[in-house]
Amino acid sequence: MQSELYTIPSIDWSLVMPFIVVVITGVIGLLIEMFRPKQNNNAIVLVSLAGLAGAFALLIPQLGVTTTTTFAGMVLRDQFGVLLQLIIVAGAFLSLIFSEPYMKQRRIAHGEFYPMALWATSGAMLMVSSDNLLMIFVGLEVLSIALYCLAGLARDEQRSEEAALKYFLLGAFASAFLLYGIAFVYGITGSTSLAVFMETLARAPGINDLTVLFAITLLLVGFGFKTALVPFHQWTPDVYQGAPTNVTAFMSAVSKVAAFGAFARVLEASLPVQEFWMPALIVITILTMTVGNLAALVQKDVKRALGYSSIAHAGYVMVALLAYLQDPAKGSLGTVITYLAIYTFMTIGSFAVLSLTAVNKSEGTRYQDLYGLWNRAPLAAGCLVLFMVSLVGVPPTAGFLGKFQIFQDAMGAGLPLLAIALAINSFVSAYYYLQIVRAVFVDEEGALRVQSAPMNAGLRFALVICAVGVMPILFAPILSQGKQTVTLSKMIESGAFLQRPVASVPLNPEPGEKVEQITPSAPLSTVTGN
Amino acid sequence: MLEVLPIASITRDVPITWFLGLGLAMFILGGIGVVTRRNPVIVFMCIELMLNAVNLTFLTFAAYGGSGINATPGGMAQAMNGQMMVIFVMAVAAAEVAVGLGIIMAIFRQKNDVDLDDMSTLRN
């Protein structure tokens, strides 16, 4: 036993290479800032974008690879994680590429933005590529601490600092809940591994009911904060409104994808005690969709309205996730991933357009500040209309395909209540999205006084990519060939998402007690199914 | 290895619930403080108290070998899982202190006041 403990496991560096590339790029960016202070950030921007592109390129070949772990089971590579990492890297790339002109307009072009954003990205990537709660926690904190700083990037502006402080206090508060939950998971299983947690729950259902309930409740509260589910959503509109727009774009995509990735793994591991949390989560999901959309209706600030919209969309993703957890045969994680990808394009695109409203240090993001945008910047205005239509879920867009898929999953998995709530909410949400569309086309006298920044290459690039991203063409095969042929789900199915080796987990059974180990190749869901 | 005397005698003579209860009490007190206090520095101190409650809980489970079905008192790998976690929590808390105090300083420079009730520029 002793010698086993101290043998250094062999490490497969290819699993962590994308992650390392992103971190090192951040360090290089910081060094550049150090050696050429007070100059333009072009070099840092180029290096950062190159680093992200490199990480993306390193991730692509990993798509088909079988599930493996390394670093003594701390880092896990599976289809789910790789796909989410791809979305995260793409989201970071898109929100970085339009940042420099925007920050220059707002006079907050601090070079340290890029390293911080890269490290936040690395935290997010780490978060979705481990099934060990320790690593999930470390990734979450790397992501969050960097984001606290980024939210307060506009140091001279009260609202930016206020957003940073609120985000920081509530984020740290939520982390404490999450950690307390992890502490009890550790108390129950003697390990922080989710695979061991699931196996323990499956092996002895009904054991330690209260402790398990307590642990799972705390984990739910912690992740509820991070994913902005309804009773824990209050920070979202404030932070989205107060943070610089490029940071908001980054946050709305990267941090959400990462939080959902980790949340999905935690919920999946808790499946054996499904009856504890499923009803509560169904109620929370309905509340999340409804409250998010209703609150968005009365907003006067576009960024704030989009903040509430992101809460509602978190609810939609939860519907897909719950459908999968309720019935893995009917629902699928592919739907979750597809919707997160589509949402990333829609939300980053919207905030990218909003970044145009920053002119000469001042920035207005109220509906009036978008008036006449169609005349000043037709490309941006057109794209904004496209993103709004997609956020509503109007048929020809990818937003519709994503929602339709979620609706089908929920109906198939026997959660019609969620499906109906989703449909009703989509109709309600149309009102405020179309208000934004209307503002773009308002052409009255007030519109003449509104200014917007000139179009720039980076923004144009981001907008074109996002606009392509919400084109249904990418996702068209999904519907034409029926539900089972969802490209992403197919990849996950063939890659066997749940095949996690748990060999490296130090279980210490009582001497003489026979412990049934799950074989490394058997999907954990088979343990759950019965 | 882990049979260092003091811990062994403590885990023998003191029930695990005492430590867990102390942790819970600290956690709840911290939570109450976060909700009721209006000075961000004190709120942050309360969050630190909650994190320390978490650390205490981890160490308790590590020393007592958990409360669950896998519990084997003194299991070294298990104990190290928890103790390792505590190190990470402390490191992360330190990083949070740096960032948090920085943000509070930035706000103080702007308006010579850090009362949370006065922070209402972000609204509809």
Side-chain angles (χ1 to χ4, degrees):
Chain A
M1 191 66 205
Q2 298 263 328
S3 59
E4 270 173 39
L5 270 174
Y6 288 104
T7 45
I8 297 170
S10 66
I11 291 165
D12 182 358
W13 289 97
S14 73
L15 269 72
V16 286
M17 267 326 271
F19 173 77
I20 291 176
V21 165
V22 172
V23 172
I24 301 270
T25 313
V27 174
I28 295 173
L30 200 64
L31 287 177
I32 297 175
E33 167 71 11
M34 222 174 89
F35 288 118
R36 354 174 10 207
K38 303 266 189 283
Q39 297 194 21
N40 66 35
N41 294 330
N42 294 349
I44 306 177
V45 180
L46 279 180
V47 167
S48 308
L49 293 179
L52 286 171
F56 198 85
L58 282 172
L59 280 167
I60 293 276
Q62 301 195 5
L63 269 175
V65 182
T66 49
T67 307
T68 41
T69 63
T70 187
F71 284 101
M74 285 290 181
V75 176
L76 163 81
R77 174 176 63 197
D78 58 3
Q79 288 296 25
F80 183 64
V82 173
L83 284 167
L84 288 185
Q85 284 189 67
L86 280 171
I87 301 176
I88 286 168
V89 173
F93 188 91
L94 288 173
S95 36
L96 250 56
I97 200 167
F98 73 88
S99 288
E100 187 62 19
Y102 168 76
M103 295 200 300
K104 271 191 187 140
Q105 287 287 351
R106 285 197 61 181
R107 311 284 186 272
I108 51 168
H110 306 302
E112 59 268 32
F113 166 75
Y114 299 95
M116 295 284 246
L118 285 171
W119 293 329
T121 311
S122 73
M125 290 164 73
L126 186 62
M127 221 176 138
V128 296
S129 55
S130 176
D131 73 339
N132 194 302
L133 285 167
L134 168 61
M135 294 311 276
I136 290 179
F137 166 70
V138 171
L140 177 77
E141 289 300 324
V142 171
L143 168 68
S144 302
I145 292 178
L147 276 180
Y148 303 149
C149 302
L150 290 181
L153 193 69
R155 280 170 223 154
D156 304 328
E157 270 184 49
Q158 211 165 311
R159 55 184 197 141
S160 178
E161 291 313 311
E162 191 182 313
L165 185 67
K166 282 180 178 170
Y167 192 24
F168 166 70
L169 287 180
L170 286 174
F173 191 46
S175 293
F177 278 94
L178 184 67
L179 273 174
Y180 206 38
I182 298 176
F184 277 90
V185 169
Y186 169 69
I188 294 161
T189 64
S191 159
T192 47
S193 162
L194 283 173
V196 177
F197 185 51
M198 186 178 194
E199 196 233 7
T200 309
L201 293 181
R203 183 147 45 87
I207 194 116
N208 276 332
D209 267 352
L210 260 178
T211 330
V212 172
L213 184 61
F214 192 59
I216 291 180
T217 311
L218 288 166
L219 288 177
L220 281 189
V221 173
F223 277 110
F225 266 106
K226 300 293 176 188
T227 50
L229 301 181
V230 146
F232 322 111
H233 68 291
Q234 280 91 348
W235 59 272
T236 317
D238 282 354
V239 176
Y240 276 43
Q241 187 188 1
T245 306
N246 55 342
V247 176
T248 312
F250 183 85
M251 183 157 35
S252 69
V254 171
S255 140
K256 187 144 285 186
V257 174
F260 266 110
F263 197 25
R265 289 195 203 276
V266 169
L267 284 183
E268 205 172 20
S270 330
L271 267 180
V273 287
Q274 200 182 10
E275 67 274 9
F276 282 166
W277 48 264
M278 191 56 107
L281 268 187
I282 288 176
V283 173
I284 285 179
T285 304
I286 293 176
L287 274 179
T288 305
M289 290 188 283
T290 315
V291 172
N293 278 323
L294 290 183
L297 289 180
V298 295
Q299 302 304 320
K300 300 186 184 71
D301 187 289
V302 182
K303 262 163 99 178
R304 206 174 167 82
L306 286 177
Y308 278 110
S309 137
S310 92
I311 297 172
H313 280 269
Y316 303 156
V317 178
M318 276 307 290
V319 175
L321 187 54
L322 289 184
Y324 166 72
L325 293 170
Q326 179 83 13
D327 186 354
K330 292 291 188 337
S332 97
L333 278 175
T335 314
V336 178
I337 298 171
T338 313
Y339 201 75
L340 283 173
I342 296 171
Y343 178 68
T344 299
F345 289 123
M346 298 190 293
T347 184
I348 292 185
S350 315
F351 284 117
V353 175
L354 276 184
S355 76
L356 275 181
T357 59
V359 189
N360 282 334
K361 205 162 190 232
S362 71
E363 178 189 37
T365 50
R366 299 166 77 80
Y367 283 102
Q368 297 95 293
D369 297 304
L370 285 178
Y371 281 2
L373 187 70
W374 175 254
N375 298 327
R376 292 190 303 273
L379 173 69
C383 286
L384 185 63
V385 171
L386 180 66
F387 300 139
M388 289 304 135
V389 167
S390 182
L391 280 166
V392 179
V394 175
T397 56
F400 168 73
L401 286 180
K403 264 188 197 164
F404 186 71
Q405 192 74 41
I406 296 178
F407 185 83
Q408 269 194 331
D409 281 12
M411 288 305 265
L415 296 167
L417 198 60
L418 286 180
I420 292 165
L422 169 76
I424 294 175
N425 267 291
S426 297
F427 282 111
V428 173
S429 71
Y431 179 74
Y432 64 89
Y433 290 129
L434 294 182
Q435 254 191 332
I436 299 177
V437 172
R438 190 192 75 95
V440 169
F441 291 105
V442 166
D443 197 9
E444 53 194 41
E445 212 145 304
L448 295 174
R449 285 199 301 276
V450 185
Q451 281 193 320
S452 59
M455 199 65 183
N456 55 70
L459 181 58
R460 202 170 286 136
F461 184 79
L463 285 181
V464 168
I465 301 232
C466 290
V468 172
V470 298
M471 285 297 165
I473 276 182
L474 283 181
F475 307 93
I478 301 174
L479 275 195
S480 63
Q481 292 170 36
K483 190 168 164 298
Q484 287 309 309
T485 50
V486 178
T487 28
L488 294 170
S489 325
K490 196 92 179 174
M491 275 195 274
I492 292 157
E493 275 157 26
S494 59
F497 166 61
L498 275 169
Q499 291 180 8
R500 299 171 189 158
V502 287
S504 52
V505 166
L507 265 181
N508 283 345
E510 290 282 356
E513 183 198 356
K514 188 159 172 5
V515 178
E516 42 169 311
Q517 288 276 356
I518 28 173
T519 53
S521 63
L524 277 181
S525 53
T526 54
V527 182
T528 341
N530 36 52
Chain B
M1 270 295 273
L2 210 81
E3 298 294 304
V4 186
L5 263 177
I7 293 186
S9 62
I10 289 174
T11 52
R12 193 184 57 235
D13 298 336
V14 186
I16 185 172
T17 43
W18 288 25
F19 285 104
L20 292 183
L22 177 62
L24 185 64
M26 279 163 70
F27 193 83
I28 291 175
L29 284 177
I32 293 174
V34 171
V35 177
T36 55
R37 297 322 278 288
R38 286 291 146 243
N39 185 319
V41 180
I42 295 182
V43 169
F44 191 49
M45 283 163 61
C46 292
I47 292 175
E48 291 291 315
L49 186 63
M50 295 168 81
L51 291 180
N52 282 331
V54 170
N55 281 345
L56 179 64
T57 311
F58 268 114
L59 291 178
T60 308
F61 282 132
Y64 284 83
S67 68
I69 42 176
N70 283 331
T72 44
M76 189 161 174
Q78 279 192 354
M80 271 166 65
N81 274 334
Q83 289 159 358
M84 188 167 65
M85 192 79 196
V86 172
I87 307 272
F88 277 98
V89 174
M90 288 198 288
V92 162
E96 271 181 347
V97 170
V99 169
L101 291 184
I103 294 171
I104 294 171
M105 284 293 292
I107 291 181
F108 189 76
R109 281 209 195 117
Q110 279 173 11
K111 50 183 203 176
N112 274 333
D113 174 31
V114 287
D115 194 302
L116 285 176
D117 280 338
D118 297 341
M119 297 197 189
S120 50
T121 52
L122 295 170
R123 55 172 58 175
N124 185 24

